[in-house]
Coordinates of all heavy atoms in Angstrom, one line a residue:
C74 N -27.8 36.6 6.7 CA -28.5 35.6 7.4 C -29.9 36.1 7.8 O -30.8 35.4 7.7 CB -27.6 35.2 8.7 SG -26.2 34.3 8.4
A75 N -30.0 37.3 8.3 CA -31.3 37.9 8.6 C -32.2 37.8 7.5 O -33.5 37.4 7.5 CB -31.2 39.2 9.2
I76 N -31.8 38.1 6.2 CA -32.6 38.0 5.0 C -33.0 36.6 4.6 O -34.1 36.3 4.3 CB -31.8 38.8 3.8 CG1 -31.8 40.3 4.1 CG2 -32.5 38.5 2.5 CD1 -30.9 41.0 3.1
I77 N -32.1 35.7 4.8 CA -32.3 34.3 4.5 C -33.3 33.7 5.5 O -34.3 33.1 5.1 CB -31.0 33.5 4.6 CG1 -30.1 33.8 3.3 CG2 -31.3 31.9 4.5 CD1 -28.7 33.3 3.5
V78 N -33.2 34.1 6.7 CA -34.1 33.7 7.7 C -35.5 34.2 7.3 O -36.6 33.5 7.5 CB -33.7 34.0 9.1 CG1 -34.8 33.9 10.1 CG2 -32.5 33.3 9.6
H79 N -35.6 35.5 7.1 CA -36.9 36.1 6.7 C -37.5 35.5 5.5 O -38.8 35.1 5.6 CB -36.7 37.6 6.4 CG -38.0 38.3 6.1 ND1 -38.8 38.6 6.9 CD2 -38.4 38.8 4.8 CE1 -39.9 39.2 6.4 NE2 -39.6 39.4 5.1
F80 N -36.9 35.1 4.5 CA -37.5 34.6 3.2 C -37.5 33.0 3.2 O -38.5 32.5 2.6 CB -36.7 35.0 2.1 CG -37.0 36.5 1.7 CD1 -36.1 37.5 1.9 CD2 -38.3 36.8 1.3 CE1 -36.3 38.8 1.7 CE2 -38.6 38.3 0.9 CZ -37.5 39.2 1.1
N81 N -36.6 32.3 4.0 CA -36.7 30.9 3.9 C -37.1 30.3 5.2 O -37.3 29.0 5.3 CB -35.2 30.4 3.6 CG -34.7 30.6 2.3 OD1 -35.6 31.1 1.4 ND2 -33.5 30.5 2.0
G82 N -37.3 31.1 6.3 CA -37.8 30.5 7.6 C -36.7 30.1 8.5 O -37.0 30.0 9.7
Q83 N -35.5 29.8 7.9 CA -34.4 29.5 8.8 C -33.1 29.6 8.1 O -33.1 29.7 6.8 CB -34.6 28.0 9.2 CG -34.4 27.0 8.1 CD -34.7 25.6 8.6 OE1 -35.6 25.3 9.4 NE2 -33.9 24.5 8.1
C84 N -32.1 29.7 8.9 CA -30.7 29.7 8.4 C -29.6 29.2 9.3 O -29.8 29.5 10.5 CB -30.4 31.2 8.0 SG -28.7 31.5 7.3
T85 N -28.7 28.5 8.9 CA -27.6 28.1 9.7 C -26.6 29.4 9.8 O -26.2 29.9 8.9 CB -26.7 27.0 9.1 OG1 -27.6 25.8 8.9 CG2 -25.5 26.6 9.9
V86 N -26.5 29.7 11.1 CA -25.8 31.0 11.4 C -24.4 30.7 12.0 O -23.5 31.5 12.0 CB -26.5 31.9 12.3 CG1 -27.8 32.4 11.6 CG2 -26.8 31.2 13.7
K87 N -24.0 29.5 12.5 CA -22.8 29.1 13.1 C -22.6 27.6 13.0 O -23.5 26.9 13.3 CB -22.7 29.7 14.4 CG -21.3 29.6 15.1 CD -20.5 30.8 14.5 CE -19.2 30.8 15.3 NZ -18.4 32.0 14.7
T88 N -21.4 27.1 12.6 CA -21.1 25.8 12.8 C -19.9 25.6 13.6 O -19.0 26.5 13.7 CB -20.7 25.2 11.4 OG1 -19.7 25.9 10.8 CG2 -22.0 25.2 10.5
G89 N -19.8 24.4 14.3 CA -18.6 24.1 15.1 C -18.7 23.0 16.0 O -19.6 22.2 15.9
E90 N -18.0 23.1 17.1 CA -18.0 22.0 18.1 C -19.1 22.3 19.1 O -19.5 23.5 19.4 CB -16.7 22.0 18.9 CG -15.6 21.5 18.1 CD -14.3 21.4 18.9 OE1 -14.3 21.3 20.2 OE2 -13.2 21.5 18.4

Side-chain angles (χ1 to χ4, degrees):
C74 286
I76 291 169
I77 291 169
V78 168
H79 179 72
F80 287 107
N81 292 345
Q83 68 183 39
C84 178
T85 298
V86 294
K87 192 76 174 180
T88 59
E90 295 181 24

